[in-house]
């Protein structure tokens, strides 16, 4: 039942469609060993993501969505199954696929420019400075190039991390609740900034969140994950054009559909 | 407000004065003791200056501390980075570190003399021994406290182990390393005095034993102690200001 619903959306059942996938997760299972007991975290996850697609992984805390993202990025070896990018099995982290942590990943010992240029060691000095300046502008941090992270707000640090990731020109971005630590107004701003950047650069984005609104506002598809062990419960196509009207009936219908799918009533 | 501040500054000075008075008084009440009073000690310090002896001895001691300390820093930081990074390596060396740790650096004095004879090398070796282990353990602890996100981010950008150590691990431990360096330099200053009392013929430690052996000049003994305290304080102040600039730049102070 679960497999069937996942397959019907991803088209995994048809080899032609899966071959076109940028990133594929095949029968992925992850189990942790805790005090001698085996704790299954993810069970038989199958997913295919198209090139340039924006996919949100949505689920309650502890459902294994971060674990799934870490396995896709190569930080974690799956217990069973595999992850493929461009048909190649993922065996570790790779600069072609950058993981954006919450703003915690910014290096405190480097300036904004130093952080953004971190992955550009192979370029010449001028080339690097040009690239850094381009992404400083893209995330709107002009004038802060020489600032250290502790002088920046949470939202600005998050911009630094996104810029650092984009600067190495990756195919895929993994974002693990990137705006979770920000206040709600900054979060809204960062969402539209991210969409603007995504529309300009067309990276494949996998975005973990526990915020239903965030998922429906951002994603082409929302992958709803159930808890313990984490399984794909449903994949929802968000057939809304950007910029999205978040009070339109279609938006609300999609959001409410996911709400009830997760088992939450519409009232508090 | 202003008067209160000046009072606060006055308090330790007054306390010090009171102690000096009590000391002088105690010496005055027991005239047959060899222990000099503060007045005689001040005379002792004044006696040492004209000969240029004191400058020579301070330079000799600081020279040994500098060499022993920097050799220890040079070896302990890279080694600590590798041991802290590689868990298997750490498991292998940990028992030997734990056995070596409780051995006082002074216990190495006979071996130092056996290997290097009486002279600078023996003293430098002892300071190296005294600094190396505490610094190594500090580096290992600091590496283990580095948040995994920094290491993961470094790996994500394709850094190989050596580059990862240089560009991520090392800068990440600098704030903690500064504290370790300060403590270690304090140890070095403790060890140099003891080493000089036995293994060499110059330096502040030698001044103390020499003054005692050459006719119970306890005024010079205490004068030497005071100078050791003052130089030690200056060394600590130097590292502290280094610590402050680095933590200010990184903003680690804010987070604490």
């Amino acid at each position: 039942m679960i497999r069937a619903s996942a397959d019907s959306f991803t088209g995994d059942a048809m080899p032609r469609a899966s071959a076109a996938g940028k990133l594929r997760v095949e029968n992925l299972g992850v189990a942790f060993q805790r005090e001698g007991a085996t704790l299954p975290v993810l069970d038989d996850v199958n997913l295919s993501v198209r090139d340039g697609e924006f996919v949100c992984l949505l689920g309650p805390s502890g459902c294994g969505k971060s674990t799934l993202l870490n396995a896709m990025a190569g930080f974690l070896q799956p217990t069973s199954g595999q992850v493929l990018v461009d048909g190649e099995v993922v065996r570790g982290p790779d600069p072609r696929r950058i993981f954006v942590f919450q703003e915690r990943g910014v290096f405190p010992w480097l300036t904004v420019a130093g952080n953004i240029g971190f992955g550009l060691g192979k370029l010449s000095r001028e080339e690097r400075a040009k690239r850094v300046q381009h992404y400083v502008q893209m995330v709107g941090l002009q004038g802060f190039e020489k600032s250290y992270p502790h002088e920046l707000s949470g939202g600005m640090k998050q911009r630094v991390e996104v810029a650092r990731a984009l600067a190495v020109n990756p195919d895929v971005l993994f974002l693990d609740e990137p705006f979770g630590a920000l206040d709600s107004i900054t979060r809204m701003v960062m969402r539209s900034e991210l969409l603007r950047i995504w529309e300009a650069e067309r990276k494949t984005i996998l975005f973990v969140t526990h915020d239903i609104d965030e998922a429906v506002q951002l994603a082409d598809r929302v992958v709803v994950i159930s808890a313990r062990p984490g399984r794909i419960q449903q994949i929802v196509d968000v057939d809304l054009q950007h910029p999205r009207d978040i009070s339109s009936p279609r938006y609300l219908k999609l959001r409410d559909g996911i709400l009830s799918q997760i088992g939450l009533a519409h009232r508090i | 407000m202003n008067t209160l501040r000046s009072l606060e500054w006055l308090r330790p000075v007054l306390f010090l004065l009171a102690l000096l008075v009590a000391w002088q008084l105690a010496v005055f009440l027991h005239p047959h003791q060899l222990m000099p009073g503060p007045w005689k000690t001040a005379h002792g310090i004044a006696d040492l200056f004209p000969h240029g002896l004191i400058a020579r001895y301070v330079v000799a001691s600081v020279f040994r501390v500098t060499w022993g300390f920097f050799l220890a820093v040079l070896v302990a930081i890279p080694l600590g980075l590798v041991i802290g990074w590689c868990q298997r390596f750490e498991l292998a060396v940990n028992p030997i570190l734990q056995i070596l740790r409780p051995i006082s650096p002074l216990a190495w004095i006979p071996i130092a003399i056996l290997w290097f004879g009486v002279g600078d090398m023996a003293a430098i070796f002892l300071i190296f021994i005294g600094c190396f282990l505490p610094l190594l353990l500090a580096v290992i602890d600091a590496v283990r406290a580095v948040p995994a996100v920094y290491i993961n981010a470094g790996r994500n950008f394709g850094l190989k182990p050596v580059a990862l150590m240089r560009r991520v691990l090392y800068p990440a431990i600098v704030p903690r390393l500064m504290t370790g360096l300060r403590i270690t330099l304090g140890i070095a200053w403790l060890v140099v005095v003891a080493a000089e009392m036995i293994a060499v013929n110059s330096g502040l430690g030698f001044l103390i034993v020499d003054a005692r052996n050459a006719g119970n000049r306890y005024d010079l003994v205490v004068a030497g102690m005071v100078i050791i305290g003052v130089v030690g304080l200056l060394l600590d102040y130097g590292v502290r200001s280094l610590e402050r600039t680095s933590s200010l730049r990184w903003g680690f102070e804010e987070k604490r």
Side-chain angles (χ1 to χ4, degrees), chain B residues 192-209:
Chain B
V192 75
V193 173
E196 286 170 346
M197 293 176 97
I198 298 168
V200 283
N201 302 323
S202 64
L204 295 169
F206 174 74
L207 169 71
I208 289 174
V209 272

Side-chain angles (χ1 to χ4, degrees), chain A residues 94-95 97 99 104 118 148 150, chain B residues 150 156 167 171 249-251:
Chain A
D94 190 299
R97 307 180 291 271
F99 200 106
R104 298 168 294 126
F118 185 83
Y148 281 90
H150 72 96
Chain B
Y150 297 157
N156 202 172
R167 296 186 59 196
R249 197 175 123 193
W250 295 24

Side-chain angles (χ1 to χ4, degrees), chain B residues 13 53 136 169 216:
Chain B
V13 176
L53 202 64
L136 184 70
L169 271 190
N216 283 342

Side-chain angles (χ1 to χ4, degrees), chain A residues 74-75 93-95 97-99 101 104-109 117-119 121 148 150 157 164-165 168, chain B residues 148-159 167-169 171-172 247-252 254-255:
Chain A
F75 285 118
D94 190 299
R97 307 180 291 271
I98 297 292
F99 200 106
F101 308 88
R104 298 168 294 126
V106 175
F107 297 129
W109 57 87
F118 185 83
Y148 281 90
H150 72 96
K157 276 190 258 188
R164 182 177 74 184
V168 297
Chain B
V149 274
Y150 297 157
I151 293 161
N152 282 343
R155 285 174 61 206
N156 202 172
F157 283 102
L159 296 192
R167 296 186 59 196
V168 177
L169 271 190
S247 65
L248 267 183
R249 197 175 123 193
W250 295 24
F252 271 68
E254 272 186 343
K255 280 186 194 160

Side-chain angles (χ1 to χ4, degrees), chain B residues 30-113:
Chain B
H30 301 275
H32 301 297
Q33 286 284 335
L34 276 175
M35 181 72 187
W39 189 245
K40 250 182 113 179
T41 303
H43 265 281
I45 295 174
D47 272 357
L48 286 169
F49 271 98
H51 302 294
L53 202 64
I54 195 70
R56 260 207 347 261
Y57 282 180
V58 168
V59 168
S61 293
V62 171
F63 168 82
R64 288 166 193 142
V65 162
T66 309
W67 273 105
F69 179 70
F70 274 107
L71 284 177
V73 168
L74 232 58
V75 183
I77 291 178
L79 199 61
L81 284 172
V82 173
I83 294 174
W85 169 246
C86 176
Q87 210 183 359
R88 269 180 228 146
F89 197 7
E90 200 209 330
L91 289 174
V93 296
N94 197 45
I96 187 81
L97 293 182
Q98 297 308 327
I99 290 173
L100 288 175
R101 190 154 72 143
I103 301 175
S104 161
L106 307 184
W108 289 84
I109 287 177
I111 289 174
I113 293 174

